């Protein structure tokens, strides 16, 4: 398993700094893994990248710039990936040795080529018990409905990702959600990676738990319904 190397694509919003904390965890990655940072045009991150290259010289690093937009940035990073598997990470994720070992075990499986993998979600900095409800909701949505979201660390072979057509770039939200539907519609399997990937609850702190939770519970079904209709037509008509 240890001979599997990854391309890790991390899109950054303007002014994003959480990615520097995430990069501290990259000492856990297999040798030869590639990190692709996709920053917004106008950002100046050359010094930070040079420091990371010195600290983690056994890894490969790319810093590229792009028009802002998560789908655009993810696709641009994926297009430059040189390894056979791509791991898409949000900048406010935190990874552990357990994550890496579970990921490598998944990729060593004979079914890894035609699969889109995801982790279980938990918030490492939650300050309210209410966020445990969101964690449970994510498990229900992912494992029972087969609808994980991008903060659960999608990883997929580059070949399969390209066959899906990449992330949608014409949507104001939910490009990760739509990629899952693209997978369902093309017969790519959604597979759980049995490890918890930590992400930040900072958006809930900033916008309020109730308002953000209600917003998400409105937006994702609104986006899912037409995709479900399309899937039914593909399968039965």
């Amino acid at each position: 398993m240890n001979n599997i190397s990854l391309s890790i694509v991390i899109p950054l919003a303007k002014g994003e700094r959480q990615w520097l904390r995430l990069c501290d965890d990259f000492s856990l990655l297999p040798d030869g893994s590639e990190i692709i940072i996709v920053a917004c045009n106008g950002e100046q991150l050359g010094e930070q990248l040079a420091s990371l290259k010195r600290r983690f010289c056994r890894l490969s690093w790319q810093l590229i710039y792009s028009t802002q937009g998560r789908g655009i940035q993810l696709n641009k990073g994926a297009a430059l990936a040189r390894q056979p598997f791509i791991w898409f990470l949000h900048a406010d994720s935190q990874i552990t040795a357990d994550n890496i070992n579970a990921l490598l075990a998944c990729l060593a499986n004979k079914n890894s080529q035609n699969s889109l993998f995801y982790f279980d979600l938990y918030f490492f900095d939650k300050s309210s018990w209410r966020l445990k409800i969101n964690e449970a909701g994510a498990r229900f949505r992912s494992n029972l409905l087969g609808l994980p979201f991008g903060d659960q660390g999608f990883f997929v072979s580059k070949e399969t990702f390209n066959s899906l057509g990449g992330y949608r770039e014409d949507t104001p939200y939910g490009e990760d959600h739509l990629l899952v539907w693209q997978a369902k519609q093309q017969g790519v399997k959604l597979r759980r990676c049995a490890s918890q990937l930590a992400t930040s609850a900072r958006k809930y702190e900033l916008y309020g738990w109730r308002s953000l939770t209600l917003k998400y519970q409105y937006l994702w079904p609104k986006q899912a319904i037409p995709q479900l209709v399309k899937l039914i037509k593909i399968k039965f008509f």
Side-chain angles (χ1 to χ4, degrees), residues 8-235:
I8 299 175
V9 175
I10 307 169
L12 305 184
K14 283 189 176 180
E16 178 65 70
R17 292 295 177 265
Q18 293 280 333
W19 69 283
L20 294 170
R21 168 61 187 83
L22 169 61
C23 288
D24 287 339
D25 299 332
F26 288 162
S27 60
L28 303 168
L29 293 173
D31 289 350
S33 295
E34 174 184 49
I35 317 300
I36 304 173
I37 308 295
V38 191
C40 295
N41 291 331
E43 296 283 88
Q44 301 293 327
L45 302 179
E47 289 186 13
Q48 291 95 322
L49 188 72
S51 175
L52 289 167
K53 285 182 175 180
R54 289 192 295 270
R55 290 175 57 199
F56 303 111
C57 57
R58 62 184 184 81
L59 305 177
S60 172
W61 295 83
Q62 291 192 62
L63 170 62
I64 60 175
Y65 293 93
S66 168
T67 304
Q68 185 171 11
R70 194 185 293 271
I72 296 170
Q73 291 171 262
L74 289 166
N75 286 339
K76 191 166 184 177
L80 296 176
R82 294 177 294 214
Q83 299 295 346
F85 292 98
I86 306 174
W87 189 10
F88 297 100
L89 283 177
H90 286 191
D92 56 2
S93 300
Q94 292 185 5
I95 62 174
T96 64
D98 184 70
N99 295 152
I100 301 297
N101 290 335
L103 182 152
L104 294 176
C106 288
L107 295 186
N109 188 288
K110 64 180 181 180
N111 297 316
S112 62
Q113 277 294 336
N114 194 44
S115 302
L116 177 63
F117 294 93
Y118 64 91
F119 289 89
D120 292 333
L121 178 74
Y122 87 98
F123 297 105
F124 66 84
D125 56 353
K126 55 181 173 286
S127 59
S128 169
W129 62 268
R130 292 180 296 184
L131 284 163
K132 291 184 178 292
I133 298 174
N134 300 73
E135 292 170 343
R139 288 193 296 273
F140 173 82
R141 174 175 39 76
S142 302
N143 301 333
L144 295 181
L145 302 183
L147 293 172
F149 289 172
D151 53 5
Q152 293 172 249
F154 293 166
F155 56 102
V156 63
S157 75
K158 185 169 183 178
E159 180 181 352
T160 297
F161 178 75
N162 289 337
S163 75
L164 295 176
Y167 288 93
R168 289 273 296 271
E169 298 181 2
D170 60 348
T171 180
Y173 71 94
E175 72 291 323
D176 49 350
H177 181 212
L178 292 174
L179 184 72
V180 168
W181 282 105
Q182 288 158 227
K184 288 176 176 288
Q185 291 157 7
Q186 294 188 34
V188 173
K189 298 296 184 182
L190 276 295
R191 298 188 188 276
R192 171 179 172 261
C193 182
S195 180
Q196 290 187 324
L197 178 67
T199 193
S200 176
R202 57 181 176 154
K203 286 186 178 179
Y204 291 92
E205 297 292 334
L206 182 61
Y207 297 108
W209 177 83
R210 184 189 301 274
S211 61
L212 195 59
T213 299
L214 290 175
K215 178 181 178 180
Y216 286 158
Q217 297 313 306
Y218 166 74
L219 288 176
W220 79 260
K222 178 182 177 182
Q223 198 174 54
I225 290 170
Q227 296 301 319
L228 176 60
V229 171
K230 183 177 178 180
L231 178 62
I232 292 171
K233 289 180 178 178
I234 290 171
K235 287 189 175 294

